[in-house]
Amino acid sequence: MLHLSIYNKIAAYHNRLPLYSRKKQTNIHIRENKNHFEINFFCFYFKMSYICIETNQKDINNTTNMANQIKFHKMHGAGNDYIYVNTMIYPISNPENFAIRWSKFHTGIGSDGLVLIGASNKADFSMRIFNADGSEALMCGNASRCIGKYVYDLGLTSKKEIALETLSGIKRLNLHVVNNKVETVSVDMGEPETREKLTEIEIDGMKIKGTIVSMGNPHFVIFTEDAHSVNLPTIGPLIEHHPVFPDRTNVEFAQTLSRNEIRMRVWERGSGITQACGTGACATLVAGVQTGKTDRKASVEMDGGILIIEWDETTNKVWMTGEAVMVYEGFLELTMEN
């Protein structure tokens, strides 16, 4: 455990170095005896020689304590807020439990869930998402935009076009940078999967017609005259758990303001009411086009903000553009309760 703790702290320091200071490979060697141990590693040059660290038992204890902390960032896209952790530095073995505990507003950080940023052998980075109830999501458009900002603003990449591995495939991110900071991100959300234009379900004797769309995760989009008047806390979970959707579903109530403006409210599978849903905004536009209510490009206004969605007729891909915001960062101490 001692060796692993020290290794993690050096790796964390290595990843905070400017890109030009890092070597492509970091080697760490530990030599230990009763009185001291020595770590020889190279992650950058200093006066043409390698860095050597010597420490004592007090330093060891301090480093071990620090290794029991996880650094996190709170970020949001259009109000859809998640806790982000770089698992390349801070690996997490039981993210389902952490997602439940940390997402609670009164006893945790408070969020719609937990997002893990990791390495990938298929893309530049990988993403895993755990909802506030601990269930793992296949994809989240707002989270993918925030990851684009995270990896660029924190110096993990200098690319402005990023490939992101998700459980629903590899997504392409185009970063729009102003003054060396990412302001907005466009995401290639892929091709939607659709069924018939309208599907009817029945809840407590009431018949509801909606459009089933998959954006790598399931959605049921219902167009209504007034999205604001919908009793979302009551009807949302009933539709989410309807037998028609064996894996549950996200639920969107949408109102067309014009051919290129939509007002939408969302009940997310596993999280409940959220301020925004990127895949939900995409599914809403696709459903609008299918039912003849909207054009192929529109702004989708949600409680937390506006996303620009375009369903390209040539490629059949859906593009989503919106903000990504860094709110704050902090450390969480891992305890037996976690």
Side-chain angles (χ1 to χ4, degrees):
M1 292 299 295
L2 173 61
H3 290 179
L4 180 60
S5 300
I6 300 296
Y7 183 96
N8 284 340
K9 296 312 298 180
I10 295 173
Y13 181 73
H14 171 254
N15 279 277
R16 289 197 297 267
L17 293 173
L19 287 173
Y20 59 80
S21 296
R22 302 180 198 163
K23 291 184 69 66
K24 292 183 178 179
Q25 181 180 3
T26 301
N27 292 340
I28 299 178
H29 306 284
I30 299 179
R31 184 169 69 251
E32 184 175 7
N33 60 36
K34 293 182 179 180
N35 299 318
H36 78 284
F37 70 91
E38 183 180 273
I39 301 174
N40 298 305
F41 68 96
F42 59 92
C43 55
F44 62 94
Y45 286 115
F46 181 74
K47 294 183 179 180
M48 300 304 293
S49 62
Y50 298 125
I51 288 183
C52 175
I53 297 177
E54 288 196 18
T55 186
N56 53 35
Q57 190 62 44
K58 181 179 179 181
D59 295 325
I60 295 172
N61 293 335
N62 290 337
T63 304
T64 303
N65 291 334
M66 291 176 67
N68 288 330
Q69 292 182 331
I70 286 182
K71 186 174 185 179
F72 72 92
H73 288 75
K74 180 74 174 291
M75 303 182 71
H76 81 84
N80 195 191
D81 62 327
Y82 285 93
I83 302 160
Y84 293 78
V85 175
N86 180 356
T87 59
M88 294 176 285
I89 301 176
Y90 302 101
I92 296 179
S93 59
N94 52 345
E96 298 87 353
N97 293 337
F98 287 124
I100 295 171
R101 291 180 179 274
W102 295 346
S103 295
K104 293 179 180 179
F105 283 92
H106 298 295
T107 57
I109 298 170
S111 71
D112 293 327
L114 171 65
V115 177
L116 306 183
I117 305 169
S120 171
N121 56 11
K122 300 177 182 178
D124 296 307
F125 300 94
S126 67
M127 171 177 73
R128 293 183 69 191
I129 312 151
F130 294 87
N131 296 314
D133 68 353
S135 61
E136 185 166 8
L138 297 175
M139 174 58 187
C140 176
N142 290 318
S144 62
R145 293 202 318 278
C146 287
I147 285 183
K149 181 176 179 64
Y150 184 108
V151 298
Y152 186 89
D153 286 7
L154 298 182
L156 300 183
T157 184
S158 59
K159 292 182 177 181
K160 295 181 182 178
E161 295 183 7
I162 296 172
L164 181 64
E165 180 185 355
T166 75
L167 291 183
S168 65
I170 295 178
K171 308 301 179 183
R172 305 291 173 179
L173 282 56
N174 293 336
L175 313 183
H176 309 296
V177 178
V178 178
N179 296 326
N180 295 320
K181 297 288 184 181
V182 173
E183 286 200 349
T184 60
V185 179
S186 296
V187 183
D188 176 0
M189 300 292 288
E191 299 185 36
E193 295 180 14
T194 60
R195 298 185 185 179
E196 58 271 15
K197 292 182 179 180
L198 290 174
T199 298
E200 185 177 271
I201 64 174
E202 185 173 335
I203 295 179
D204 295 336
M206 178 176 59
K207 293 182 179 180
I208 300 174
K209 291 183 178 181
T211 304
I212 296 176
V213 180
S214 174
M215 293 301 309
N217 55 358
H219 294 269
F220 190 60
V221 183
I222 304 148
F223 280 92
T224 180
E225 293 297 322
D226 183 8
H228 181 72
S229 65
V230 174
N231 187 354
L232 199 52
T234 299
I235 194 67
L238 295 178
I239 298 176
E240 176 191 356
H241 294 275
H242 193 277
V244 169
F245 311 108
D247 296 322
R248 299 185 296 163
T249 187
N250 299 285
V251 184
E252 288 81 24
F253 283 90
Q255 173 186 349
T256 53
L257 305 178
S258 70
R259 294 287 302 178
N260 53 19
E261 294 176 297
I262 306 171
R263 175 72 174 99
M264 186 267 277
R265 296 175 65 206
V266 60
W267 175 275
E268 286 200 55
R269 178 180 62 168
S271 293
I273 295 175
T274 60
Q275 293 293 295
C277 175
T279 56
C282 295
T284 298
L285 178 77
V286 170
V289 173
Q290 276 198 300
T291 55
K293 298 180 182 296
T294 68
D295 294 335
R296 299 185 78 92
K297 183 176 181 179
S299 62
V300 180
E301 178 189 349
M302 294 163 286
D303 292 345
I306 296 175
L307 297 177
I308 305 301
I309 311 298
E310 181 175 7
W311 187 10
D312 188 89
E313 191 168 7
T314 303
T315 64
N316 198 40
K317 291 185 176 183
V318 178
W319 282 87
M320 171 192 64
T321 301
E323 65 175 357
V325 179
M326 187 83 72
V327 183
Y328 62 86
E329 63 182 55
F331 285 89
L332 285 162
E333 185 172 349
L334 299 184
T335 64
M336 292 300 293
E337 293 183 357
N338 293 129

